[in-house]
Amino acid sequence: MNITNKINNLRKSLGAEIISLYFADKLEIEIDKTPIKRAPKNRSSLRCCTYKDRAMYRYRLLSLMGIDIEKEDDEYRSISSFAKEALQRNQIDHKILTVIDIACASCQQNTYMVTDMCKGCVARPCEENCPKDAIQIINNKSIINQDLCISCGKCEKVCPYNAIIYSPVPCEDKCPVNAISRNPETGKEEIDYDKCIYCGRCTRACPFGTIMERSQILDISKQLKHKKNPVIAMIAPSIIGQFPGTIGQIIYGLKELGFDYVYEVAVGADITAQKEAEEFIEKQKEGQPILGTSCCPAYVESVKKHVKTFEKYISHTKTPMAYTAELAKKEHPESTTLFIGPCIAKKYEGTNDQNVDYVLTFEELSSFFLALKIDLLKLEEAKYDTIDATIEAQRFCINGGVAAAVKYYLNKTTPDIEINPYYINGLDKKGLKQLEIAANGKLPNNLVECMSCEGGCLSGPGVIVSPAVSARKLVKPT
Amino acid sequence: MKITVQICSGTACYVMGGAELLSISEHLTPDELEQVDIKGIMCLGLCENYNPNTPYVKIDDEIIKNVTIETLTERIRLAIKAKAEK
């Protein structure tokens, strides 16, 4: 789907509504009116009827307030009572996603289907090319026997009339680890958290917006409004191009929102790259054939859950977020830290890192700017409260960027060691297989750079702007 | 006189899809590009209360809402054609 679509924009605007009501001290009084205001009586509905629309708004608001819908679906309760509960919470738990079951359209299984465009031709390339003999011609029409079909897609490619189509279940189709599937009893999709790697693709793949993040926007609003301690925003390198104006204006905008300090996570990326280069040399000396990068949390989780043989090859170096948070807590021990990036898996990583208090996506940050009516182009410029990061570290967010930064630091100390990276650009089933091959020592390379999102963090699920637009603003290495 | 295409780059328009419009020059032919003057502009002030009509673009004096790269390309072509017919 295009990055600009109604579901993505709805999340931003509903998030903004929650934040602005909270800052106006009206959240608990007004929030129950939102579904009705958004889906008034005499307007055409997005779904079957106005009432379903309103129910959907309710659940979307709940997930944006961080409620676990699967667990706490009490229809007797008002949205307001959930808001009250959300505002009392002081901790974030590991379950970062939630499924709105009534939003799920119960899509048919991933299948290839023959449409009415089939002319029952004489050449019959579909029948000829099917490796499983799953295609039969009955009454001059091609028919796929779904029990035999292995969804290889050969018939679709060879049909001269484009009469065969692939009809996916979008969430299942995009999940690289088969963690989401249809519960046969309810007909609704469910996430298996023993398999889920938190890559977040399902959240953006579903055109009904069924899978939602449990957002921390309210927790952060609370920190910003009733401040006891300094609040620090840590900004991922992929911020580039996500908002209008310059980086300086975005930093100024964050300070207008109430953040006391703004840290550049690329500073942490410099530490990651440097330490990973040192670890690389060490492992090479020890005779370890290959080292896997460690900064992408969805890929690290996929290794832990699905390619255990590769786990020992993953670098022990911490992520840029972890080093930046460490620095923030060292410089301001009483502070609350918030990572802002393109990533949903970082929310999970954040729950496991005591230095990271909260995690937001760029999309969620946009809700803050919208709610507090901050027009970035009109602002002055401010600087990061951290030292300057290298261009290499700022390019951590694109495919090839991590390996290049490790190489940069390696060249500084030990130029005689050759680095030969293998890139997994967008983790899919093939990528998982490659990791297995790497673990078996059958790759000629000595470094694996893996990014769960194709194109790197600039294509993360939490971005606002497509990578084709944002990548243009990235500084080129000299 | 060139046709002016002003893409609203206020925060609301930008994050609701306006950012994508900034690549419009890639969707026009060199001939068409000669006839238009494309620029990002400050907030037009039309985005109150999360209205669903963002992003906005102004082509000469006409304001268009809910703009996508496809509709913008089409509108620019129409404007060029209309001007040629005048």
Side-chain angles (χ1 to χ4, degrees):
Chain A
M1 280 196 293
N2 277 351
I3 200 155
T4 309
N5 62 57
K6 288 196 163 62
I7 288 284
N8 285 1
N9 283 356
L10 194 60
R11 273 196 311 268
K12 288 173 215 161
S13 92
L14 285 176
E17 195 159 332
I18 291 173
I19 296 163
S20 80
L21 285 175
Y22 175 73
F23 274 88
D25 290 318
K26 286 186 196 155
L27 182 65
E28 288 174 47
I29 314 163
E30 297 281 331
I31 195 68
D32 276 288
K33 295 179 189 162
T34 297
I36 300 157
K37 277 190 203 155
R38 296 265 179 159
K41 244 192 273 184
N42 303 317
R43 232 187 28 216
S44 64
S45 54
L46 293 165
R47 294 179 182 250
C48 52
C49 66
T50 302
Y51 305 101
K52 177 126 187 195
D53 279 356
R54 288 181 188 170
M56 294 316 311
Y57 281 116
R58 170 192 163 93
Y59 288 112
R60 259 181 237 299
L61 289 169
L62 294 188
S63 62
L64 284 164
M65 296 192 302
I67 306 294
D68 185 357
I69 294 168
E70 287 126 303
K71 212 164 100 189
E72 299 174 62
D73 180 15
D74 181 351
E75 288 185 284
Y76 285 120
R77 283 180 65 182
S78 61
I79 307 173
S80 164
S81 77
F82 280 110
K84 196 172 178 183
E85 183 186 298
L87 285 167
Q88 280 160 359
R89 132 187 104 210
N90 287 317
Q91 261 198 322
I92 302 297
D93 65 65
H94 295 297
K95 191 169 171 292
I96 56 162
L97 298 174
T98 189
V99 180
I100 308 177
D101 62 351
I102 65 157
C104 179
S106 303
C107 304
Q108 292 296 315
Q109 275 186 321
N110 284 329
T111 47
Y112 282 88
M113 293 190 301
V114 184
T115 65
D116 287 347
M117 299 306 291
C118 173
K119 293 188 190 287
C121 65
V122 180
R124 298 186 178 174
C126 53
E127 190 184 19
E128 289 291 309
N129 285 283
C130 178
K132 292 285 170 191
D133 290 330
I135 295 185
Q136 270 184 304
I137 315 286
I138 299 170
N139 293 334
N140 279 332
K141 292 265 177 211
S142 201
I143 306 273
I144 300 174
N145 181 340
Q146 297 296 346
D147 295 334
L148 298 176
C149 174
I150 52 163
S151 294
C152 69
K154 289 213 169 95
C155 54
E156 181 206 14
K157 287 189 192 77
V158 296
C159 175
Y161 295 104
N162 293 339
I164 299 176
I165 57 159
Y166 177 59
S167 172
V169 177
C171 61
E172 291 181 15
D173 197 50
K174 288 285 185 304
C175 178
V177 291
N178 300 330
I180 189 159
S181 60
R182 199 168 155 191
N183 178 329
E185 273 171 36
T186 61
K188 306 289 183 184
E189 294 290 328
E190 278 177 8
I191 297 173
D192 179 350
Y193 289 98
D194 292 335
K195 289 183 181 169
C196 177
I197 60 171
Y198 309 106
C199 68
R201 280 180 226 177
C202 56
T203 66
R204 299 307 190 260
C206 173
F208 286 91
T210 299
I211 303 117
M212 293 280 291
E213 300 146 64
R214 290 173 63 200
S215 179
Q216 302 165 18
I217 52 172
L218 256 192
D219 307 75
I220 293 143
S221 301
K222 196 169 80 177
Q223 293 288 336
L224 292 173
K225 191 167 181 226
H226 303 288
K227 211 183 292 178
K228 293 190 197 86
N229 300 312
V231 189
I232 303 180
M234 306 182 288
I235 310 297
S238 43
I239 185 91
I240 199 93
Q242 296 299 319
F243 294 97
T246 61
I247 287 289
Q249 285 174 310
I250 298 169
I251 298 169
Y252 196 96
L254 286 163
K255 297 214 163 160
E256 292 272 283
L257 290 178
F259 290 98
D260 299 278
Y261 304 100
V262 181
Y263 279 42
E264 185 177 15
V265 174
V267 170
D270 267 318
I271 305 173
T272 300
Q274 194 173 356
K275 291 200 186 235
E276 213 145 86
E278 287 163 14
E279 192 181 349
F280 179 78
I281 299 166
E282 204 178 291
K283 295 291 175 190
Q284 287 285 303
K285 280 185 186 152
E286 285 171 14
Q288 180 177 310
I290 204 155
L291 183 73
T293 54
S294 61
C295 50
C296 168
Y299 133 75
V300 170
E301 200 59 24
S302 75
V303 168
K304 282 184 185 161
K305 287 179 175 161
H306 303 279
V307 199
K308 284 208 170 63
T309 47
F310 192 73
E311 198 173 345
K312 61 180 177 205
Y313 298 114
I314 289 191
S315 158
H316 293 96
T317 303
K318 292 183 207 163
T319 64
M321 172 174 89
Y323 285 122
T324 311
E326 214 170 87
L327 186 72
K329 290 280 184 180
K330 201 174 128 203
E331 292 178 347
H332 305 281
E334 300 298 314
S335 63
T336 301
T337 54
L338 161 68
F339 173 86
I340 305 173
C343 188
I344 287 180
K346 280 276 181 232
K347 294 187 182 210
Y348 179 73
E349 188 193 329
T351 61
N352 290 318
D353 187 330
Q354 56 174 17
N355 292 325
V356 180
D357 296 311
Y358 299 105
V359 177
L360 276 192
T361 60
F362 294 133
E363 183 188 282
E364 291 166 318
L365 175 61
S366 77
S367 294
F368 278 88
F369 287 138
L370 293 176
L372 301 177
K373 301 201 182 338
I374 290 179
D375 197 0
L376 292 161
L377 278 183
K378 290 186 182 142
L379 301 181
E380 294 166 39
E381 306 229 1
K383 282 202 162 86
Y384 279 121
D385 296 294
T386 37
I387 54 162
D388 290 337
T390 62
I391 290 171
E392 281 71 19
Q394 286 170 347
R395 293 176 61 83
F396 239 62
C397 57
I398 49 162
N399 169 46
V402 177
V406 172
K407 199 171 180 174
Y408 168 80
Y409 278 102
L410 197 69
N411 279 344
K412 274 189 163 182
T413 56
T414 348
D416 51 314
I417 292 191
E418 188 80 22
I419 194 164
N420 176 16
Y422 181 83
Y423 302 100
I424 297 179
N425 178 21
L427 192 62
D428 51 11
K429 290 189 176 103
K430 196 180 139 224
L432 290 167
K433 193 87 207 149
Q434 288 301 321
L435 287 171
E436 223 164 83
I437 293 170
N440 293 334
K442 292 198 175 133
L443 273 190
N445 314 70
N446 53 20
L447 183 83
V448 175
E449 181 207 270
C450 185
M451 297 206 179
S452 169
C453 299
E454 189 180 347
C457 313
L458 281 184
S459 326
V463 299
I464 296 165
V465 175
S466 67
V469 174
S470 56
R472 275 190 238 143
K473 292 202 179 177
L474 214 58
V475 185
K476 300 266 178 325
T478 42
Chain B
M1 268 282 279
K2 286 188 174 187
I3 296 164
T4 53
V5 178
Q6 299 178 301
I7 299 167
C8 181
S9 295
T11 308
C13 280
Y14 190 95
V15 305
M16 293 298 192
E20 306 298 317
L21 305 178
L22 298 170
S23 65
I24 182 67
S25 55
E26 290 163 25
H27 296 258
L28 299 172
T29 63
D31 264 6
E32 288 164 344
L33 277 173
E34 288 258 311
Q35 303 179 58
V36 290
D37 184 15
I38 299 165
K39 54 189 173 195
I41 46 158
M42 298 286 240
C43 177
L44 291 163
L46 300 167
C47 51
E48 278 297 289
N49 296 325
Y50 325 115
N51 84 39
N53 298 329
T54 50
Y56 289 94
V57 173
K58 205 171 161 190
I59 299 182
D60 284 338
D61 289 327
E62 193 192 355
I63 287 171
I64 19 178
K65 59 184 187 180
N66 274 329
V67 186
T68 63
I69 206 83
E70 287 75 20
T71 55
L72 184 57
T73 312
E74 186 58 26
R75 293 300 285 257
I76 291 174
R77 288 195 177 135
L78 285 175
I80 292 173
K81 212 172 146 194
K83 208 179 142 203
E85 281 166 5
K86 249 185 206 169

